Amino acid sequence: MKKISEISEKIIQGDIRAIARGISLVENGGEEGEELLKNLYVEGRSYILGITGPPGAGKSSLINLLIDKFKEHFNKVAVLAIDPSSPFTGGAILGDRIRMQTHTGDPNVYIRSMASRGHLGGIAGATKDAIKVVSAGGYDLVIVETVGVGQSEIDVVKLADTTVLVLVPGLGDEIQAMKSGIMEIGDLFVINKSDKPESEKLATTVRWIVDEHYKDSEYKPPIIPTSVYKNEGIGDAVRDIIKHKEYIYRTGIHTNKIKLRIKDDINSLLERKLNDFIQKHIKYPEKIEKWVEQVYRGESTPFEIIKSIHENLIIDVKEEI
Ligand SMILES: Nc1nc2c(ncn2[C@@H]2O[C@H](COP(=O)(O)OP(=O)(O)OP(=O)(O)O)[C@@H](O)[C@H]2O)c(=O)[nH]1
Ligand SMILES: [Mg+2]
């Protein structure tokens, strides 16, 4: 296998195969992935667009059309389609490939389906690392597609600079559920399949909820009707996405987002390193079973065990950091 330093070098040069390899390495969440990220750490270099919404809303079909328009604003576009490996969204990976295949063969468009595999940080952790790989590879726009509205999707949404929530007519109760919270994650609301008759009613409902929710704020999310079938509204969506981008850059929101991500990177790395240290130095794998037995037999409690570990640990810090 190629050395990690060689793969890193090639990723930075924009080599597609190295980028694909790099994403697989970080998906696996092992030491090689960490080594790679050490070589290519970047934050804030690419603009990250999250596209989320219920299954079958037309997210992939929309992205396929958006990419063409985005080429006027960005040099290279990467799409990471997140597959939460849930049985409810079966076939998503194949569907995404087919729906976005217009761009196969275009060296400036990279489309990849993501899985979490062994990553400790779950799908959000794997996505976060994959964003760094494509970012280091020179993709100045990274689009992250996620399905649904569960916690893991919300975690993924937090990685984005701008989030588009795609809704479609016929959701019924889902809109009710969205009133409480989900509405907060959309910086823009796209009402797709507006070729369908009920779509206007949905747009009105969403407008009402958004107006209520954002009545005191400077930024009010736009509501954009689109139809992939009729190729309508795509230009409007791109225009409003770029407007949001400009808004967050102008107001310092973007800077804050980046600093938060950096803080998160430091914290999770520190946590992992401390955990590794503990596992290594207190012979954790050998002792854990013994401790479990002690607690099970009522001879100790988790608190007492931690106390005795703590009393026996001598951590020497060379200097104030
Ligand atoms: N009528 C109509 N159908 C659409 C439109 N956009 C997409 N579709 C159809 O909706 C279906 C789902 O489209 P996808 O693009 O795969 O939707 P998705 O949100 O990416 O789906 P998942 O990734 O599986 O959640 C496909 O059959 C599309 O052809 C639209 O504007 N109007
Ligand atoms: Mg899709």
Side-chain angles (χ1 to χ4, degrees):
M1 201 202 74
K2 277 211 185 82
K3 285 227 301 276
I4 296 295
S5 57
E6 250 173 82
I7 300 175
S8 320
E9 224 19 73
K10 290 211 153 141
I11 289 175
I12 293 166
Q13 289 160 9
D15 181 294
I16 285 284
R17 288 181 59 184
I19 289 169
R21 178 98 186 84
I23 294 178
S24 301
L25 287 174
V26 299
E27 265 179 342
N28 291 336
E31 271 173 33
E32 288 179 319
E34 187 176 324
E35 187 66 28
L36 186 76
L37 291 168
K38 211 187 276 178
N39 295 340
L40 345 138
Y41 188 86
V42 280
E43 186 51 74
R45 193 184 291 172
S46 310
Y47 171 65
I48 304 161
L49 176 67
I51 308 249
T52 191
K59 301 177 290 296
S60 303
S61 318
L62 269 170
I63 291 169
N64 188 36
L65 296 182
L66 291 171
I67 290 172
D68 279 326
K69 294 260 192 292
F70 274 132
K71 283 187 190 160
E72 294 164 20
H73 301 271
F74 300 93
N75 296 319
K76 285 169 76 176
V77 186
V79 181
L80 302 174
I82 312 305
D83 172 32
S85 313
S86 131
F88 303 109
T89 56
I93 294 184
L94 186 62
D96 289 334
R97 292 247 171 88
I98 292 167
R99 248 138 240 152
M100 295 189 261
Q101 72 183 356
T102 325
H103 302 282
T104 43
D106 183 340
N108 293 324
V109 178
Y110 177 68
I111 295 165
R112 164 78 178 231
S113 293
M114 291 278 310
S116 61
R117 297 194 198 157
H119 203 291
L120 274 178
I123 194 70
T127 308
K128 186 175 191 167
D129 291 347
I131 290 172
K132 288 195 165 46
V133 174
V134 287
S135 199
Y139 290 83
D140 48 347
L141 171 64
V142 183
I143 302 177
V144 180
E145 177 188 335
T146 52
V147 188
V149 285
Q151 186 55 50
S152 67
E153 291 77 35
I154 292 177
D155 289 345
V156 173
V157 161
K158 282 190 202 147
L159 305 172
D161 295 317
T162 297
T163 301
V164 176
L165 185 55
V166 181
L167 301 170
V168 280
L171 287 174
D173 291 347
E174 280 181 55
I175 279 288
Q176 294 300 321
M178 280 173 191
K179 276 188 196 172
S180 56
I182 295 306
M183 277 294 161
E184 284 165 47
I185 66 172
D187 299 308
L188 291 91
F189 295 91
V190 160
I191 314 287
N192 192 36
K193 308 199 184 181
S194 62
D195 44 279
K196 291 192 173 183
E198 321 88 272
S199 95
E200 228 164 278
K201 194 170 148 242
L202 174 65
T204 311
T205 313
V206 176
R207 161 65 54 212
W208 185 79
I209 300 169
V210 167
D211 279 350
E212 182 61 24
H213 194 87
Y214 288 87
K215 59 175 181 279
D216 300 321
S217 68
E218 183 197 340
Y219 180 82
K220 192 173 283 186
I223 292 143
I224 310 141
T226 60
S227 167
V228 170
Y229 282 11
K230 292 188 173 171
N231 201 344
E232 281 173 3
I234 311 298
D236 297 339
V238 170
R239 184 200 60 217
D240 286 350
I241 289 166
I242 298 295
K243 265 195 202 161
H244 182 261
K245 174 176 181 264
E246 286 163 1
Y247 164 74
I248 61 170
Y249 277 64
R250 192 181 68 239
T251 51
I253 293 173
H254 184 251
T255 309
N256 286 344
K257 278 176 187 259
I258 289 175
K259 286 186 179 168
L260 266 177
R261 283 182 215 145
I262 293 173
K263 191 193 264 183
D264 196 50
D265 284 341
I266 295 173
N267 280 339
S268 54
L269 205 57
L270 182 63
E271 213 171 281
R272 214 166 63 231
K273 291 293 157 194
L274 282 176
N275 198 34
D276 285 352
F277 174 87
I278 290 168
Q279 302 260 352
K280 197 168 147 213
H281 290 280
I282 61 172
K283 299 195 172 68
Y284 175 91
E286 295 147 59
K287 290 189 179 161
I288 182 72
E289 295 303 330
K290 193 181 88 194
W291 293 329
V292 170
E293 279 303 314
Q294 285 173 352
V295 175
Y296 178 75
R297 290 196 299 263
E299 295 160 10
S300 187
T301 68
F303 296 94
E304 283 170 12
I305 288 166
I306 296 303
K307 188 162 174 272
S308 78
I309 293 170
H310 199 230
E311 280 164 355
N312 285 302
L313 267 186
I314 304 165
I315 299 181
D316 198 10
V317 178
K318 277 193 192 147
E319 55 180 293
E320 290 285 324
I321 307 166

